[in-house]
Amino acid sequence: MSRLVIVSNRVPAPTKEGAASAGGLAVALKAALEQRGGIWMGWSGKSSENDEPGPLSLTEEGKITYALTDLTGKDVEEYYHGFANRVLWPICHYRLDLAEYGRKEMAGYFRVNRFFAHRLAPLLRPDDIIWVHDYHLIPLAAELRQMGFKNRIGFFLHIPWPPADVLYTMPVHEEIMHGLAAYDLVGFQTDHDLENFAGCLRREDMGDAIGDGRFTAHGKVFKGGAYGISIETAAFAEFAKKASSHHLVQRARQSVKDRDLIIGVDRLDYSKGITQRLDAFERFIVNNPAHQRKVTYLQITPKSRSEVPEYEQMQRTVAEQAGRVNGALGTVDWVPVRYINRSVSRPILAGLYRLAEVGLVTPLRDGMNLVAKEYVAAQDPEDPGVLVLSRFAGAARELKKGALLVNPYDIEGTANALARALNMPLEERQERWRKMMDHLLVHDVSRWCQDFLDDLVA
Ligand code: ADP
Ligand code: G6P
């Protein structure tokens, strides 16, 4: 079997503190790679003091060798904060209004991709399979090809791919499309993203689908497909069962005794629809006075990308809103919203999911959303909770038979779904949960990894 070399910007390398990484890419890839082993190269998360980042730092853990590089402060600013998180992220999440195009940042993005290619090159053997992840590193294969590498190189995009009218507002859209054509296989989360991609190729006569999962563009032929990322379903279910007896989970249980629990778990990101969700919760309470003092909404939201102005602004907005809702609805013996700004360890997270009667997952746009899948896997089969899920999450395409699908922009509709979820009879809850769980047991993260790699080497 060929050696697998994974490259991603964010790498969940072992830390002394053993902190859990929030973010679907790190969580899912770690689970996938732990079984197969290989090299995982990426950014250390640190910026070097001077213009010359030191040598790669190599650490082994189990079957994985982590190879991490620092970046300069300028690189982090232009490539990560500037282009990846202020252009590609908003554009791919359909937020044209938030994209900030700066020439410096665009140049920085391509420069850092070249730098990654040069750092990676000495590690590579001719028969390595290279698998590049996410929007930070789209031009990486083109750089490696220019350096003469003939390896199989695949790319997987963890976030949505937008329609042509959205993508084409980005000044460097052509270079980005060009970058994708340098891979042997380009993977998206859903068939919808794949269709958008094909539409982008067609719109400017850049290329087209030529059948059998193949595309042609910029004089290249490459494969494209949809591969929905997932979780370690069986292991996570087992984890959640055990976590129920964890003392922190028991304390949480005690604290919501005689009350229903609604849980939301997201990085603090504008794509997650947290403010609309708080509005919907408020509307639900106002519309359903019988639930007053009988329900707690727990929102666990670690800070994310705080150096980016839109994220910093959001920290204030959400904190103020949670305070306002509590002020408006709370009573001397009831705090409706518990808002936590931290990461939680995975066993506790799993136990809290299991405790909650409702998993409220309402992104405005999301590539997949692993929280939705984790919530389902964590449930007690005898007495499962209900997943209220945005139709704009990739996960909705897989879980639509069991979840209550909502339009997160429709506050009244989401409030009604909450009422329906909390009043749902046991039999219907079990039936809906079973459908989702059966799907997730088959379509877990190992299957995702295998399907992608099979197609990459085929
Ligand atoms: P994204 O990748 O956009 O952050 P996902 O829902 O796909 O969204 O993945 C988020 C991952 O991060 C999940 O595995 C989730 O368990 C984890 N996560 C999110 N918030 C927290 C938190 N507060 N503490 C620990 N893990 C978290
Ligand atoms: C999403 C992206 C990942 C990213 C994660 C956390 O899951 O798809 O690429 O790692 O968010 O964001 P961060 O900027 O902290 O890496």
Side-chain angles (χ1 to χ4, degrees):
M1 192 165 56
S2 299
R3 192 173 66 155
L4 180 61
V5 177
I6 300 250
V7 195
S8 64
N9 176 66
R10 177 73 58 195
V11 179
T15 58
K16 283 196 201 90
E17 307 82 43
S21 294
L25 180 148
V27 171
L29 267 186
K30 186 157 185 167
L33 204 59
E34 253 160 12
Q35 299 156 20
R36 197 184 195 277
I39 293 186
W40 193 341
M41 192 245 168
W43 178 36
S44 63
K46 297 188 205 118
S47 46
S48 56
E49 307 272 300
N50 50 38
D51 284 351
E52 266 310 306
L56 278 179
S57 115
L58 295 176
T59 326
E60 299 219 354
E61 193 194 52
K63 292 189 199 163
I64 310 176
T65 303
Y66 294 95
L68 302 182
T69 180
D70 292 351
L71 293 174
T72 68
K74 179 171 144 74
D75 287 346
V76 175
E77 206 36 53
E78 294 176 359
Y79 143 86
Y80 175 65
H81 296 139
F83 191 77
N85 286 332
R86 287 194 91 189
V87 177
L88 285 173
W89 180 272
I91 286 290
C92 288
H93 288 86
Y94 299 55
R95 292 298 302 268
L96 295 176
D97 55 320
L98 297 182
E100 282 286 332
Y101 304 110
R103 299 289 149 180
K104 220 167 35 114
E105 286 74 13
M106 294 190 216
Y109 177 75
F110 290 96
R111 182 185 71 241
V112 172
N113 268 272
R114 189 164 318 127
F115 170 76
F116 262 91
H118 283 276
R119 294 242 109 174
L120 183 61
L123 300 178
L124 294 177
R125 299 179 195 149
D127 62 343
D128 282 346
I129 296 169
I130 306 169
W131 191 4
V132 180
H133 289 263
D134 234 357
Y135 57 104
H136 314 85
L137 297 173
I138 293 173
L140 188 63
E143 293 293 342
L144 290 169
R145 297 282 183 234
Q146 265 200 356
M147 293 166 74
F149 286 97
K150 302 259 183 302
N151 302 57
R152 289 253 146 206
I153 315 181
F155 177 80
F156 183 76
L157 185 73
H158 291 249
I159 65 177
W161 188 264
D165 282 341
V166 176
L167 187 83
Y168 284 3
T169 61
M170 185 170 68
V172 285
H173 67 268
E174 224 176 306
E175 288 87 329
I176 292 293
M177 294 297 280
H178 204 277
L180 286 171
Y183 288 92
D184 295 298
L185 170 63
V186 179
F188 297 93
Q189 295 277 22
T190 65
D191 49 354
H192 185 60
D193 298 313
L194 185 63
E195 275 164 29
N196 280 343
F197 174 70
C200 288
L201 285 178
R202 272 195 299 271
R203 176 67 66 87
E204 281 193 355
D205 295 328
M206 253 184 241
D208 209 344
I210 50 171
D212 202 19
R214 280 166 203 277
F215 292 86
T216 169
H218 298 288
K220 308 240 168 48
V221 174
F222 57 99
K223 287 194 269 188
Y227 308 85
I229 202 165
S230 196
I231 59 169
E232 285 179 291
T233 313
F236 199 80
E238 202 44 47
F239 215 41
K241 198 168 159 193
K242 287 209 187 96
S244 297
S245 55
H246 193 290
H247 70 279
L248 280 178
V249 177
Q250 284 188 349
R251 262 170 51 192
R253 178 178 299 113
Q254 188 61 24
S255 77
V256 291
K257 201 155 74 75
D258 304 328
R259 289 203 172 109
D260 287 325
L261 180 64
I262 298 173
I263 195 168
V265 176
D266 316 74
R267 280 180 309 101
L268 188 51
D269 195 299
Y270 51 77
S271 64
K272 301 294 181 183
I274 300 172
T275 55
Q276 289 80 354
R277 199 183 302 171
L278 275 161
D279 283 343
F281 175 72
E282 185 178 16
R283 187 73 60 88
F284 157 69
I285 296 293
V286 171
N287 290 355
N288 298 275
H291 284 278
Q292 255 174 41
R293 299 179 55 248
K294 298 262 178 280
V295 58
T296 299
Y297 165 30
L298 172 63
Q299 176 66 45
I300 306 179
T301 295
K303 287 186 187 144
S304 177
R305 309 177 194 162
S306 310
E307 293 82 357
V308 177
E310 290 75 25
Y311 288 77
E312 198 204 353
Q313 166 67 34
M314 225 202 124
Q315 286 174 20
R316 279 194 299 276
T317 312
V318 177
E320 277 169 24
Q321 196 187 359
R324 193 189 55 70
V325 173
N326 278 337
L329 300 180
T331 60
V332 287
D333 59 349
W334 177 49
V335 182
V337 180
R338 292 189 198 167
Y339 178 52
I340 298 176
N341 250 180
R342 270 187 308 280
S343 250
V344 173
S345 75
R346 291 192 69 69
I348 296 177
L349 196 59
L352 292 175
Y353 284 139
R354 192 173 174 101
L355 200 59
E357 275 74 18
V358 177
L360 189 53
V361 184
T362 55
L364 304 178
R365 188 69 58 180
D366 212 329
M368 177 51 64
N369 196 294
L370 292 184
V371 167
K373 294 186 170 181
E374 289 167 359
Y375 177 76
V376 171
Q379 296 310 299
D380 175 358
E382 299 301 319
D383 188 15
V386 179
L387 176 65
V388 175
L389 177 62
S390 163
R391 52 184 299 179
F392 303 122
R397 300 176 88 73
E398 295 178 42
L399 303 178
K400 56 177 179 269
K401 292 209 177 105
L404 294 183
L405 290 196
V406 294
N407 169 0
Y409 296 92
D410 174 9
I411 305 301
E412 197 76 32
T414 308
N416 292 343
L418 276 176
R420 187 169 165 209
L422 286 171
N423 295 325
M424 192 182 281
L426 176 63
E427 209 173 301
E428 183 178 350
R429 279 190 278 129
Q430 286 173 331
E431 209 174 291
R432 286 175 173 272
W433 176 79
R434 191 73 262 166
K435 285 184 187 146
M436 296 190 281
M437 192 62 178
D438 285 349
H439 173 88
L440 293 178
L441 283 168
V442 178
H443 297 90
D444 65 359
V445 73
S446 315
R447 163 94 181 254
W448 165 79
C449 186
Q450 202 52 53
D451 284 353
F452 185 94
L453 291 175
D454 285 351
D455 285 355
L456 178 57
V457 297

